[in-house]
Amino acid sequence: MLELRDVSFSYGGAKVLFDVSLSVGAAEAVCLLGMNGAGKTTLLSLVSGLARPASGAILLDGAPLPPRPAGIVAAGVVQVPEGRRVFTQLSVRENLEMGAYLRLKKGGRAERAAVADDLARMLDLFPVLGERIGQPAGNLSGGEQQMLAMGRALMARPRLLLLDEPSLGLAPKVTAAIFRVVRDLPSIGCSVLLVEQNALGALAICNRGYIITSGQIRFSGTSADILSDELLREAFLGPV
Ligand code: ATP
C-alpha cells in the first residue's frame, strides 16, 4: 500500500536520504532499523507529509501521496510521533477523542457510535488508560503516555500506522505490552511501519525489515533473513 521509490531528501545543503526505496504491504508490519542519525525520523516525516522529498516518489495504493498532512491522515496514514506528544492538559478521554476528530467531524450518529466502540476497544487494549480516563494526560507516566499516543492514533482507524521509537526510554514490561499491540495490528487490517533502535524486539513482531545507515538502505529482507545473517547481526544489531 505504501511505496517509496528512490526518495532523496536534504536539510538545506545536507543530504540525509539517498535514493531510498521501501514498501509496506497491506496487513504487513515492517521495521526500519538503524543507528542514531541514520535518517529514520526524516523518512517518516516524508510519509506523514511534514516534509517533501527532493526527488523520487511516495505512492499510496499506487497514487501519489496527498500533498498535505491532513490529507494523508484522511487517507488513513497516521503517525505516532517520537516523544509521544500527547495533549498534557486534556484528559485521557479527550486525547483519545481527538484521535477520532476527522471521523466525528464527517460522520453522523453511526460514526459517533463506532467511535464510542473504538474508545472502549482502546481501553481493552490498554487497561491502564481506563483507570486514568478522567485524568490529565500530563499526569501519566512515560509508558502510559506512549500507550495514549498509540491509542489516540488508532482512534483514527488508520490503514497504516507509523511508529517512531515507541520503546524509547520505557521499562521492558511496558515495551512488551506496546509491542504486543503493534504485533496484532496487521490482523485487524492496519499495516505498520515501525522505526526502532530495539532491533531484536522490532524484528520479533515484524514480517520484514530494512536496515538504513547514513541515509541509505543497506539491506532488506524478512525478519528471519536479518536475524540469521551473522554479519548483519554483528554490524547492526549488536551482541545478542
Ligand atoms: P534518531 O534515532 O537519532 O532520531 P534518525 O535515524 O531518526 O535518528 P534523523 O533524525 O532522520 O535520524 O536525522 C538524519 C540526519 O538529518 C541526521 O544527520 C540529523 O542530524 C539531520 N537532521 C535531522 N533533523 C534536521 C533538521 N531539522 N535540520 C538539519 N538537519 C537535521
Side-chain angles (χ1 to χ4, degrees):
M1 63 181 304
L2 174 73
E3 190 182 354
L4 275 70
R5 281 192 201 151
D6 298 324
V7 166
S8 296
F9 182 79
S10 306
Y11 288 107
K15 197 164 179 182
V16 296
L17 290 176
F18 299 81
D19 298 324
V20 168
S21 293
L22 171 155
S23 67
V24 182
E28 190 182 34
V30 170
C31 58
L32 177 63
L33 309 172
M35 309 287 176
N36 275 327
K40 306 180 298 297
T41 299
T42 302
L43 189 150
L44 288 188
S45 47
L46 297 180
V47 178
S48 58
L50 300 176
R52 304 289 294 271
S55 61
I58 304 182
L59 305 173
L60 191 61
D61 299 327
L65 194 68
R68 294 183 196 288
I72 294 171
V73 171
V77 179
V78 177
Q79 178 164 5
V80 182
E82 188 180 19
R84 288 123 214 178
R85 297 205 203 114
V86 294
F87 302 106
T88 52
Q89 317 275 326
L90 298 184
S91 70
V92 168
R93 176 188 295 280
E94 288 164 335
N95 268 276
L96 290 171
E97 286 170 350
M98 288 291 283
Y101 172 76
L102 279 181
R103 294 172 63 193
L104 289 169
K105 197 169 125 190
K106 275 195 304 196
R109 191 184 303 179
E111 193 61 28
R112 281 202 299 280
V115 168
D117 284 350
D118 284 353
L119 200 141
R121 223 151 39 87
M122 290 312 133
L123 304 184
D124 283 342
L125 280 181
F126 302 112
V128 69
L129 298 182
E131 293 160 22
R132 319 287 296 270
I133 190 85
Q135 294 185 20
N139 288 2
L140 302 183
S141 71
E144 290 161 353
Q145 289 191 12
Q146 181 63 54
M147 292 179 192
L148 180 56
M150 270 189 68
R152 188 181 63 189
L154 291 174
M155 286 296 290
R157 286 218 178 156
R159 296 188 302 136
L160 171 63
L161 192 69
L162 310 172
L163 285 155
D164 196 351
E165 310 243 7
S167 77
L168 196 69
L170 301 186
K173 226 171 130 179
V174 182
T175 298
I178 286 172
F179 276 13
R180 267 197 301 277
V181 171
V182 175
R183 180 197 62 196
D184 293 341
L185 290 177
S187 69
I188 56 163
C190 178
S191 300
V192 172
L193 179 56
L194 170 65
V195 160
E196 260 299 335
Q197 297 229 5
N198 176 353
L200 289 178
L203 289 168
I205 57 169
C206 289
N207 331 46
R208 291 193 296 118
Y210 291 82
I211 293 178
I212 183 169
T213 56
S214 308
Q216 297 184 53
I217 301 289
R218 302 292 178 164
F219 188 87
S220 73
T222 65
S223 297
D225 286 342
I226 295 175
L227 285 167
S228 63
D229 187 307
E230 242 172 72
L231 280 177
L232 280 179
R233 281 179 76 124
E234 265 175 42
F236 298 109
L237 308 183
V240 181

